[in-house]
Amino acid sequence: MRSPENPPAPSACLPRLFPNPRADREAPYGAPERAILSRAAFEEAMAEIGAWPGYVPTPLRSLGGLAREAGIDRLWYKDEGTRFALGSFKALGGAYAVLRLLTREVTARVPGVPVTALDLVVGRYARVTRTLTVTTATDGNHGRSVAWGAQVFGCNCVVYVPAACSAGRRAAIEAYGAKLVVVDGLYDDAVRRAARDAAAAGWFVVSDTSYTGYMDVPRDVMQGYTVMVEEAISQLPASERPTHVFVQGGVGALPAAVCGHLWESWGRQRPRFVVVEPQAADCLYQSAVAGRPMRSAGRLDTLMAGLACGEVSLLAWAILERGADDFLTIPDEGAVAAMRKLAEGRHGGRPVVAGESGVAGLAGLLCAAAHEETRRALGLMPDARVLVFGTEGATDPEVYERLVGRPPEQVAA
């Protein structure tokens, strides 16, 4: 991925759009989709995560100034920069999946006794959990969440990162007691190494991507993300719904969680759903073009490190194949420009600290709105109301300062 040492100067953001020919807005959210994500499973996740110490809904911000810049009526930004102590929506997924996995494993070893999160937190079954190890591959935020969950719920953790993962993100993972393994390769190489080592050592993989033979845990990760989506639904003005949602891609777990939850909740009345990716890491875009899961055509050398993924999650694609309306790619400078606009308070409110991967949905909207052909193709009319998810704060303060020009604490102050 591209180094943030010399970030690109903001310039014309040229988006690339592919309207999804397989999108089916009349299709019901049926049994195949509910087997992956469902409101019933969301209720279980909400009951659990909502009881964790420090849980509060993150704010939904109205960005009036940027709405005017984009030529639309409303723009809402779900700000995940204060989520628990991790500063990222990933806290809802990895840690929840660790809890679910440990609960299942302890129950299997101590049958007939219900196991709760509190039991694990206070170490009631430490003699079991201390013998278990969870592992994952990450570009930063997911690994931090898994490490945090392992520390809180009492098991061991090994996290694999690609060589380009920043020093700040590595240190943040190690701060939660995880063993860090640096893989000489990209994110997808780290995924394969983690799976291989886990199989040899008897560890449990807690990944946000799914592949053949590995489906159960990624469902839990994605279901945890729907807590954020339901919060946003409840925070919208009572008389207003978004006409569009722009969400960043990655392996697809996040957009599938947002798309699936809105699809089941609102059916045919759901917003137009746009998946946004870096031009250099476009596995979802390429999958939409081909009509089946495909690798990225790019080199994955993007500043949007959390989105530098070359392969699609199969579970995510099962929802996005018909649920996503459009796939959009943007250059890195679009994300940097969006970070700076938020930091400058260009939206009309107090400055917002947002990381380079977390602003991709917002950047996709602004890039699309700046180009008339793309604007028309997406139906971004003056009465459009858009919801985006700002999925991280400054999860690496040094990288943030290089890209924005000021440290995050100065922006927040």
Side-chain angles (χ1 to χ4, degrees):
M1 68 188 69
R2 182 184 293 176
S3 168
E5 293 293 337
N6 296 296
S11 63
C13 180
L14 299 174
R16 178 180 55 161
L17 176 66
F18 183 74
N20 183 12
R22 295 166 189 82
D24 187 352
R25 299 194 62 82
E26 299 299 315
Y29 195 78
E33 289 80 22
R34 286 196 298 274
I36 301 171
L37 294 165
S38 68
R39 286 201 64 91
F42 153 74
E43 297 291 349
E44 188 175 350
M46 183 72 251
E48 177 56 57
I49 294 171
W52 290 358
Y55 169 78
V56 291
T58 54
L60 183 70
R61 306 191 186 282
S62 179
L63 308 184
L66 292 184
R68 288 188 293 274
E69 177 180 323
I72 59 176
D73 183 46
R74 296 279 191 278
L75 173 56
W76 294 291
Y77 179 91
K78 180 66 168 164
D79 186 358
E80 289 293 296
T82 57
R83 181 68 73 180
F84 289 111
L86 279 74
S88 161
F89 83 108
K90 293 283 189 178
L92 299 170
Y96 178 63
V98 170
L99 169 63
R100 296 267 295 176
L101 186 151
L102 292 180
T103 299
R104 289 193 293 268
E105 292 302 317
V106 171
T107 299
R109 291 162 172 77
V110 189
V113 178
V115 179
T116 68
L118 181 60
D119 291 331
L120 300 180
V121 169
V122 301
R124 187 164 295 155
Y125 299 102
R127 68 185 186 280
V128 175
T129 60
R130 282 201 212 96
T131 69
L132 305 178
T133 298
V134 296
T135 188
T136 193
T138 185
D139 280 307
N141 291 339
H142 176 70
R144 192 173 177 182
S145 177
V146 171
W148 177 57
Q151 184 183 75
V152 169
F153 299 119
C155 68
N156 306 301
C157 184
V158 181
V159 176
Y160 292 75
V161 300
C165 182
S166 71
R169 292 191 170 97
R170 295 185 194 184
I173 293 167
E174 291 179 308
Y176 289 104
K179 177 183 176 182
L180 197 75
V181 178
V182 180
V183 175
D184 185 17
L186 302 171
Y187 167 78
D188 300 300
D189 300 308
V191 169
R192 287 186 279 271
R193 171 75 181 279
R196 185 170 65 248
D197 288 1
W203 300 340
F204 297 90
V205 177
V206 179
S207 177
D208 62 350
T209 192
S210 58
Y211 39 87
T212 302
Y214 180 72
M215 299 286 180
D216 291 341
V217 173
R219 283 190 185 93
D220 291 335
V221 173
M222 293 164 67
Q223 198 68 69
Y225 296 161
T226 62
V227 169
M228 172 187 69
V229 188
E230 184 68 17
E231 286 178 3
I233 289 174
S234 68
Q235 291 167 324
L236 288 166
S239 60
E240 298 181 18
R241 281 187 182 178
T243 59
H244 297 69
V245 175
F246 284 68
V247 181
Q248 43 269 38
V251 297
L254 168 63
V258 179
C259 180
H261 197 73
L262 294 177
W263 184 357
E264 185 177 15
S265 300
W266 290 343
R268 288 179 296 178
Q269 302 304 312
R270 67 188 184 276
R272 184 166 184 163
F273 195 84
V274 184
V275 179
V276 182
E277 296 175 283
Q279 288 179 349
D282 61 348
C283 58
L284 295 168
Y285 182 101
Q286 295 298 331
S287 298
V289 171
R292 57 188 174 86
M294 295 288 290
R295 287 188 56 85
S296 172
R299 297 171 54 193
L300 310 186
D301 55 340
T302 172
L303 288 175
M304 292 173 265
L307 307 179
C309 308
E311 298 179 22
V312 176
S313 168
L314 298 183
L315 284 175
W317 182 247
I319 289 177
L320 295 173
E321 181 178 16
R322 291 193 306 159
D325 296 290
D326 304 276
F327 294 82
L328 184 76
T329 69
I330 60 171
D332 281 358
E333 51 262 41
V336 176
M339 291 172 70
R340 293 175 178 173
K341 288 176 181 180
L342 289 172
E344 293 163 4
R346 293 268 294 274
H347 50 282
R350 70 174 182 80
V352 174
V353 174
E356 61 275 19
S357 299
V359 299
L362 173 62
L365 165 66
L366 297 176
C367 288
H371 290 81
E372 190 60 32
E373 183 178 346
T374 309
R375 169 195 285 277
R376 288 198 307 269
L378 288 172
L380 290 171
M381 299 296 104
D383 61 349
R385 300 180 302 275
V386 179
L387 171 64
V388 299
F389 290 83
T391 49
E392 66 174 3
T395 52
D396 187 322
E398 291 187 5
V399 169
Y400 181 88
E401 184 173 358
R402 292 187 201 114
L403 297 178
V404 173
R406 288 184 292 158
E409 59 271 17
Q410 185 181 105
V411 171

